[in-house]
Amino acid sequence: HYLDKGFFNHYLFRRLAGQGHLIVDVGYSLAPEASFREMLAETYRSVAWMKENAAEYGVDPNRLVLMGGSAGGQLALLAAHAPDEARLRPAGLETDTRVRGVIAFYAPVDLPSMAGYVDRTYARLTIGRLPPVEKAFTRAWEKLVGKPFYPPKQWLPNVMGGSPEEKLEEYRLTSPLNHIRPDCPPTLLLQGTQDLAGTQPDMQLFARALRDAGAPVAYVEYLSLIHI
């Protein structure tokens, strides 16, 4: 819903570039103007574009790694773990979009589970019936980012085009947890112990499922102090 490419990542990108990596920072369209399928199509196409233009940038097209945080992490995992899934790839894309590896920070990997957590945790947050402190927060947020504040319970329906009850198969199809296979590329998962979207248990399960499938995975968990 919010922010743009490069947000909070400049130091990381400079460090990686200083080690000899080429960083291509990809911006994708945001909700509610764009659906998740449009965002995912842009992710697949960005990999295809990089492979098609690799020579111009001195890049080995067989050594691409996708990296993303939060929603970007979900997009990166899907594009990396399901490069040939016809139900997810944009129509007409013929370029091989397989990547060498993928890195995801606190990514939603099980959308029905995340929807349940958000509903339980943020049920009282509804625009028009917010306590004064929360109303002040929404005004400050909208002034800062230039977009309306969407209550957490609208996060996934805005992106998915409906609730889990209305779009359950779509929620499942776009959950990285349901695209695990032994030949998934090496995967690095980074997760905080407290997460505003409740992704920690799902990421732990995701890492175990990758290991059980025989896919190479490393799971790193950080102690975080925010708790909802």
Side-chain angles (χ1 to χ4, degrees), residues 23-225:
I23 307 299
V24 178
D25 195 6
V26 178
Y28 57 87
S29 302
L30 300 177
E33 293 78 14
S35 70
F36 182 78
R37 286 305 191 105
E38 292 172 291
M39 302 174 195
L40 185 58
E42 291 169 354
T43 307
Y44 279 106
R45 291 193 178 105
S46 71
V47 177
W49 183 92
M50 190 68 254
K51 289 198 170 189
E52 292 162 0
N53 293 274
E56 180 180 349
Y57 294 94
V59 170
D60 182 345
N62 298 312
R63 294 181 61 85
L64 302 184
V65 175
L66 275 173
M67 177 171 67
S70 193
Q74 179 194 1
L75 292 168
L77 288 169
L78 279 174
H81 288 182
D84 301 316
E85 174 54 72
R87 295 173 297 171
L88 295 176
R89 283 175 64 92
L93 181 62
E94 298 181 357
T95 303
D96 179 4
T97 58
R98 291 181 180 87
V99 295
R100 185 69 171 267
V102 59
I103 303 168
F105 300 79
Y106 47 90
V109 294
D110 185 342
L111 294 194
S113 174
M114 176 183 169
Y117 174 87
V118 169
D119 284 348
R120 292 189 303 272
T121 306
Y122 302 99
R124 66 188 180 88
L125 293 182
T126 304
I127 291 295
R129 294 191 289 115
L130 298 178
V133 171
E134 290 166 353
K135 285 185 177 180
F137 168 79
T138 63
R139 288 195 296 268
W141 177 272
E142 291 167 7
K143 183 177 180 180
L144 176 67
V145 303
K147 288 185 68 175
F149 172 75
Y150 300 101
K153 69 178 185 178
Q154 292 181 13
W155 290 347
L156 287 175
N158 279 354
V159 173
M160 304 301 293
S163 67
E165 293 76 20
E166 298 166 327
K167 300 278 187 176
L168 183 57
E169 289 308 310
E170 183 72 0
Y171 276 66
R172 289 173 173 167
L173 178 62
T174 52
S175 295
L177 184 62
N178 296 322
H179 295 279
I180 290 174
R181 61 186 199 282
D183 61 340
C184 281
T187 301
L188 173 59
L189 304 172
L190 301 108
Q191 174 66 44
T193 54
Q194 307 290 348
D195 186 276
L196 297 177
T199 58
Q200 181 202 16
D202 296 335
M203 283 281 268
Q204 292 174 337
L205 175 63
F206 185 59
R208 289 195 298 270
L210 283 167
R211 290 193 193 99
D212 291 345
V217 58
Y219 175 76
V220 180
E221 194 169 270
Y222 295 92
L223 174 64
S224 53
L225 301 180

